[in-house]
Amino acid sequence: MGIQTRVSTRAPGRRVGVKAGVGILAAALVLAGVATVAPASAETATPDGAAEASDIPSVKAIDSDQVITDPAWFAAAYAEGFRLYILATTNWGTCTPAAHTQPQLQMALDAGLKVAAYTRDPACWQAGIAATGPYSTVLQFFALDIETGSPPLTRDMITGVQDLGVRPVIYSGAAMWPLLMGDTTEFSDVALWDTAAGPLDFPSWTPDVLAPEPVPYGGWNDSGNLRIGVQQEFERTLNGVRVDLNSFDAAFLY
């Protein structure tokens, strides 16, 4: 999220995608921007009882707080295989709506990308969604950012996002969640956008929502309740713009 270290209204459960290795279908998924990933190795083993990596087609996603004015940037991102753009919709660290929000959402949609939103301060959820204006109806989700320096998550934040007709998601990480939220599993009914960032070999990067191995916390990342997204690298410069790189479960997106 330009973030350092993010609910679905559907019931948690195992998300089973399309098996890799079926030639025609696999090719179709790649052309659609959906990559079927290789089976988990010893380095990317999944939690006991969880779906194997090959069961979860994943897509590349970008999150960023940067101002982008050129529609060609979004077209290039789509051509490079990205399918989801997640935008910070208030000025960083404030609840002031960012003026670039709606133009950037439109450019992303015009390029074929799906869109979602977040605010660095989760207490700014209302202003963050309001900043999207008419585009709130096409948001894949709004992410409540629970990390170092954030206020604790509350159920009112979640229901507030839902009441505005937007699907909430929680962004957090195994090292951050316990510091703010302790050992509670109260929010495990909300889908998790996890963070487990490190260096990526970008030219050979294949999206995989199960890489690196999910770490259980907060009631997530165990059998039947895997994360739906994972932030895998911070601050990659993509065609001149600083972004974070993510993989998302393709089945989670509309």
Side-chain angles (χ1 to χ4, degrees), residues 142-168:
F142 182 85
L144 294 161
D145 181 0
I146 308 304
E147 62 170 294
T148 306
S150 301
L153 179 65
T154 68
R155 184 58 65 172
D156 284 346
M157 293 178 185
I158 293 166
T159 57
V161 173
Q162 292 171 326
D163 288 347
L164 291 178
V166 181
R167 180 168 58 168

Side-chain angles (χ1 to χ4, degrees), residues 11 20 78 129 132 135 172:
Y78 186 90
I129 294 173
T132 69
Y135 298 94
S172 197

Side-chain angles (χ1 to χ4, degrees), residues 81-211:
F82 290 94
R83 293 297 180 264
L84 175 65
Y85 169 62
I86 311 163
L87 171 65
T89 57
T90 61
N91 295 334
W92 195 249
T94 77
C95 294
T96 303
H100 60 271
T101 295
Q102 294 180 36
Q104 288 186 199
L105 290 173
Q106 184 62 62
M107 286 187 285
L109 290 166
D110 288 345
L113 293 160
K114 298 178 187 294
V115 295
Y118 73 95
T119 55
R120 175 60 185 83
D121 183 342
C124 296
W125 60 267
Q126 190 167 18
I129 294 173
T132 69
Y135 298 94
S136 66
T137 61
V138 297
L139 293 177
Q140 294 291 313
F141 57 81
F142 182 85
L144 294 161
D145 181 0
I146 308 304
E147 62 170 294
T148 306
S150 301
L153 179 65
T154 68
R155 184 58 65 172
D156 284 346
M157 293 178 185
I158 293 166
T159 57
V161 173
Q162 292 171 326
D163 288 347
L164 291 178
V166 181
R167 180 168 58 168
V169 160
I170 294 170
Y171 169 94
S172 197
M176 300 181 296
W177 180 263
L179 297 178
L180 284 163
M181 304 301 299
D183 59 2
T184 183
T185 60
E186 174 189 352
F187 301 99
S188 61
D189 60 310
V190 179
L192 174 67
W193 174 10
D194 203 359
T195 182
L200 285 179
D201 181 9
F202 185 71
S204 64
W205 173 47
T206 298
D208 181 357
V209 76
L210 295 184

